[in-house]
Amino acid sequence: MSEIKRDVRNPLLFECAWEVANKVGGIYTVIKTKVPVTVSEYGDRYTLIGPLSYKTAPMEVEAQEPKDPHLAATLDSMRAAGVKILYGRWLIEGAPNVLLFDTGSQYSRLDEWKGDLWNLAGIPTPPNDHETNETIVFGYIVAWFLGEYVARQLDKAVIAHFHEWQAGLAIPLCRKRHIDVTTVFTTHATLLGRYLCAGSVDFYNNLQYFDVDHEAGKRGIYHRYCIERSSAHCADVFTTVSHITAYESEHLLKRKPDGVLPNGLNVVKFQAMHEFQNLHSTAKAKINDFIRGHFYGHYDFDLDNTLYMFTAGRYEYRNKGVDMFIESLARLNFRLKKSGSKVTVIAFIIMPAATHSYTIDALKGQAVTKQLHDTVTEIQNRIGARLFEHAMSSNGEHGTLPTPDDLLSDEDKVLLKRRIFALKRNMLPPVTTHNMADDANDPILNQIRRVQLFNHSSDRVKIIFHPDFLNSNNPILGLDYEEFVRGCHLGVFPSYYEPWGYTPAECTVMGIPSATTNLSGFGCFIQDLIERPQDEGIYIVDRRSQSVEDSVNQLTDYMFSFTQKTRRQRINQRNRVERLSPLLDWKNLGIEYSKARQLALRRAYPDAFYGPGGEAEEEDLDFGMERMTLPISVPASPRWRMSGIATPGDIGTLTEEMQALGTSDYRGFNWPSSQDDEDEGYPFPLVMKVRSRANSVMSGASTPGGGRSKSLSEGDLRKADAALSNVNEAQSATNGVNGVNGH
């Protein structure tokens, strides 16, 4: 039977993640915001696959019947075998097709699949790890679905893109079963990396020395690590979200990534045209109201000369760089006092932690401030009425201006004095807004105590720790996160472990300057693109090639220089920051995903792209996406590191060897100068990876979804190797051409 020729020009795309229509963490944001550009490229050929969560799915998915007859037949077959399935449209922008599988409906097969996984890949699975059990059931169902589907649909190539280890188990299963799909695996953060960095380990300088199996076993995640590593090795194309994560993956997962797929944002959602400066002013006024209440009794600083800095994210004290932030704030406080500066810096730490309730003092501060405001408003109205009556009674001839005693009655004075006396306070403004569940052992509070930032009147830097998510229903700080960010002056995120970093990216598209590090994916991304990021309002702290002491001092220098800026300079800097937002738009960064998918197709179906001699037979595929470019009116600065190209992958992140991701220099591709000639063709490799062949164990003999494709026998492989050996001898021969027997 002749080999089936699949259409690689109009492939089908299945994108699989644990957070499809199921919000757990940051990958939900990645998937959801990327959907519009993927739908614009693939249309109805794009389907998302995820687990069926009965809590969220009914609100997020509109059930429909599939239009593809092969898909309908596959789902009917699986339903008949007992799999519960929800298929329809995800109710988000782009309205993509979505396919959700109920893992609970197949738990009866769990032990069988665990045994198959051990025989297949030697991956052990403990009995009581619920998350791993879910991963195994989900992975086997997805592999079952893909095997059934490609056996029916024989016309088009099928790309399956998997995010993170929870969704990646289907990759080794597809490879072992020889299912005719091409796979892409994207890791957003390695399991072992997150665990190692959370401990007191010099992670990046010792990366190549870790005994990964021992470290994973010591932390009880060996089985999860095995799933992640097998997913990375079995995928046709392996990618990460940043260069720093690629460096980490190379050493911990033992495969050099084929490319970097940076995380983008739906910039239109944040884009406020020229209104973002007004939005900053409006949101800052609301923060001012909170500050007046929080510092009542000690409100002795000028809000017009006050700067708001903040850090936010998961409560990972060391990974998120909170330790460095607080230490730098203490040094900034010393420098501001020494220089006699009148600037006040109020630093917010927004990180959810275990709490009991709001503190009485924080609630009282907002209450007495509101009482005072209401009283003053009432007295204002009375004074206005008296002033009006006095002016009217003058009849325009013998009028005199009223005295203060005429306007402010004794009753008003008494009421005002009572409100002012209520502002008396015998203690300093609190550092935290909540009663912490474990105040004595909280690392953030303990470091604040160590550096003695207690909000004294003499302190130029004051700290507010808000251990809860922000929302507009909060009785103390009633702002949503986006509005809060717009009202601040500087976001500070000196992370030690940050595979990407959505927080500084969100600051950028909202026109707020930020500080990050070269150990975060976002920091590396910006550093690769812009020659002097600090001129554009993105300050990048070097946490890689210098000591912790030097890094703390560098962050302190950045913050101190920021406090020296005039209001006009800060407005100008916000304009420059906001102008960078197109760099983070999915209209640009989505192209990296397109290139990864094309590379996967070229590796799976090289005959469709390359002739017998290895030369490209056909023109490159069009990505089918409109690219966002900077308008002509934008000034020359910022100076891009490359000539007219906006994403680091455009020249060559997706290449076979990824030479620029060597461990000695991990800052990305060495961009050609304007004098250098750029490569003419698309820089895909000519030497293709050979897809997996038959091994001793064939998965799927007793499990659904396998056994459809014929595998090569050992005899076939021996014949192929012999033929290749003869070809090599023929090419190396100097005298004539030796005959090669065909088989």
Side-chain angles (χ1 to χ4, degrees), residues 11-67:
L12 301 170
L13 173 62
F14 293 100
E15 190 159 13
C16 183
W18 192 258
E19 297 193 34
V20 170
N22 176 37
K23 186 171 185 178
V24 178
I27 298 174
Y28 178 86
T29 304
V30 177
I31 300 291
K32 186 176 178 179
T33 56
K34 186 175 67 67
V35 159
V37 296
T38 313
V39 169
S40 71
E41 184 180 359
Y42 279 84
D44 276 347
R45 292 181 288 118
Y46 174 50
T47 303
L48 289 146
I49 301 177
L52 176 53
S53 168
Y54 289 102
K55 288 183 180 178
T56 58
M59 295 177 286
E60 295 209 31
V61 177
E62 179 186 5
Q64 292 182 357
E65 288 300 318
K67 297 176 183 177

Side-chain angles (χ1 to χ4, degrees), residues 352-370:
T355 62
H356 294 307
S357 61
Y358 297 107
T359 62
I360 294 175
D361 206 28
L363 291 167
K364 181 184 175 183
Q366 302 305 316
V368 296
T369 307
K370 186 177 184 304

Side-chain angles (χ1 to χ4, degrees), residues 151-288:
R152 289 182 168 88
Q153 196 284 119
L154 303 173
D155 302 327
K156 293 183 174 65
V158 176
I159 306 167
H161 191 149
F162 299 85
H163 294 266
E164 284 292 272
W165 72 277
Q166 291 102 324
L169 184 61
I171 298 175
L173 297 178
C174 288
R175 177 59 65 95
K176 282 291 185 178
R177 297 175 182 184
H178 304 280
I179 295 171
D180 194 7
V181 299
T182 181
T183 54
V184 181
F185 180 62
T186 298
T187 183
H188 295 254
T190 67
L191 278 166
L192 195 52
R194 195 177 289 282
Y195 274 82
L196 287 168
C197 280
S200 296
V201 174
D202 186 2
F203 179 67
Y204 292 99
N205 289 327
N206 294 299
L207 202 46
Q208 61 268 43
Y209 306 122
F210 286 119
D211 181 344
V212 290
D213 294 323
H214 172 74
E215 296 291 346
K218 190 165 69 174
R219 288 161 176 79
I221 58 167
Y222 179 70
H223 52 291
R224 298 183 180 192
Y225 168 75
C226 288
I227 293 173
E228 184 178 42
R229 183 166 168 176
S230 66
S231 302
H233 280 265
C234 291
D236 290 309
V237 172
F238 172 46
T239 64
T240 64
V241 294
S242 64
H243 291 306
I244 198 71
T245 313
Y247 174 49
E248 172 190 342
S249 299
E250 180 185 345
H251 288 293
L252 299 185
L253 298 180
K254 307 303 182 184
R255 177 176 176 182
K256 188 176 286 191
D258 298 298
V260 172
L261 310 180
N263 291 335
L265 283 162
N266 185 357
V267 171
V268 176
K269 174 181 181 294
F270 295 100
Q271 206 171 37
M273 302 307 286
H274 300 294
E275 282 295 304
F276 74 96
Q277 296 284 8
N278 294 337
L279 291 172
H280 166 73
S281 180
T282 305
K284 186 177 72 170
K286 294 182 180 180
I287 299 176
N288 287 348

Side-chain angles (χ1 to χ4, degrees), residues 251-546:
H251 288 293
L252 299 185
L253 298 180
K254 307 303 182 184
R255 177 176 176 182
K256 188 176 286 191
D258 298 298
V260 172
L261 310 180
N263 291 335
L265 283 162
N266 185 357
V267 171
V268 176
K269 174 181 181 294
F270 295 100
Q271 206 171 37
M273 302 307 286
H274 300 294
E275 282 295 304
F276 74 96
Q277 296 284 8
N278 294 337
L279 291 172
H280 166 73
S281 180
T282 305
K284 186 177 72 170
K286 294 182 180 180
I287 299 176
N288 287 348
D289 290 340
F290 162 76
I291 292 300
R292 292 187 187 99
H294 191 81
F295 288 91
Y296 81 95
H298 294 270
Y299 177 53
D300 51 4
F301 49 89
D302 180 11
L303 282 182
D304 286 336
N305 206 18
T306 297
L307 300 178
Y308 297 139
M309 300 182 184
F310 79 100
T311 192
R314 281 189 307 276
Y315 195 146
E316 293 181 18
Y317 172 68
R318 187 167 183 267
N319 284 359
K320 296 295 183 185
V322 186
D323 50 353
M324 180 174 286
F325 182 44
I326 296 173
E327 179 63 33
S328 297
L329 288 174
R331 299 185 184 192
L332 175 64
N333 185 45
F334 173 78
R335 290 181 63 174
L336 288 173
K337 288 199 286 188
K338 185 178 179 182
S339 66
S341 174
K342 298 299 181 185
V343 173
T344 301
V345 172
I346 296 180
F348 292 89
I349 301 173
I350 312 291
M351 289 190 165
T355 62
H356 294 307
S357 61
Y358 297 107
T359 62
I360 294 175
D361 206 28
L363 291 167
K364 181 184 175 183
Q366 302 305 316
V368 296
T369 307
K370 186 177 184 304
Q371 275 187 325
L372 177 62
H373 184 272
D374 292 345
T375 300
V376 170
T377 302
E378 185 181 340
I379 293 174
Q380 276 180 327
N381 292 336
R382 292 180 195 168
I383 291 175
R386 292 180 192 127
L387 186 59
F388 178 74
E389 289 297 329
H390 190 281
M392 285 298 294
S393 63
S394 67
N395 296 322
E397 293 182 1
H398 49 276
T400 57
L401 292 176
T403 64
D405 289 334
D406 293 333
L407 298 178
L408 198 62
S409 69
D410 291 338
E411 180 187 358
D412 294 337
K413 292 177 183 177
V414 170
L415 188 59
L416 192 57
K417 283 181 180 178
R418 290 182 63 180
R419 295 290 178 257
I420 292 173
F421 288 158
L423 296 176
K424 285 184 178 178
R425 195 181 208 171
N426 298 320
M427 56 187 289
L428 292 173
V431 166
T432 180
T433 56
H434 291 61
N435 292 308
M436 302 293 292
D438 190 8
D439 185 295
N441 296 311
D442 185 82
I444 290 178
L445 291 181
N446 280 337
Q447 190 181 2
I448 291 172
R449 294 179 185 116
R450 184 178 64 79
V451 300
Q452 298 185 9
L453 283 176
F454 295 132
N455 297 340
H456 284 284
S457 294
S458 59
D459 286 332
R460 296 269 49 85
V461 174
K462 304 176 192 297
I463 287 188
I464 299 173
F465 177 28
H466 188 275
D468 197 3
F469 290 113
L470 292 174
N471 66 75
S472 53
N473 298 321
N474 189 319
I476 293 178
L477 188 54
L479 293 168
D480 289 323
Y481 178 73
E482 181 183 334
E483 194 175 10
F484 171 78
V485 172
R486 286 195 185 276
C488 289
H489 297 91
L490 180 70
V492 185
F493 313 100
S495 304
Y496 183 70
Y497 183 79
E498 189 74 80
W500 175 245
Y502 258 125
T503 40
E506 288 169 342
C507 285
T508 302
V509 299
M510 287 189 269
I512 302 300
S514 61
T516 183
T517 71
N518 60 353
L519 291 182
S520 78
F522 175 79
C524 293
F525 175 76
I526 292 296
Q527 210 167 36
D528 283 342
L529 289 181
I530 303 172
E531 278 191 34
R532 292 182 55 81
Q534 64 268 26
D535 291 349
E536 309 305 319
I538 298 179
Y539 302 93
I540 299 177
V541 178
D542 183 2
R543 289 200 68 173
R544 187 154 179 215
S545 61
Q546 61 183 10

Side-chain angles (χ1 to χ4, degrees), residues 63 93 109 242 308 505 714:
E93 185 182 354
R109 300 181 188 267
S242 64
Y308 297 139
E714 287 299 322

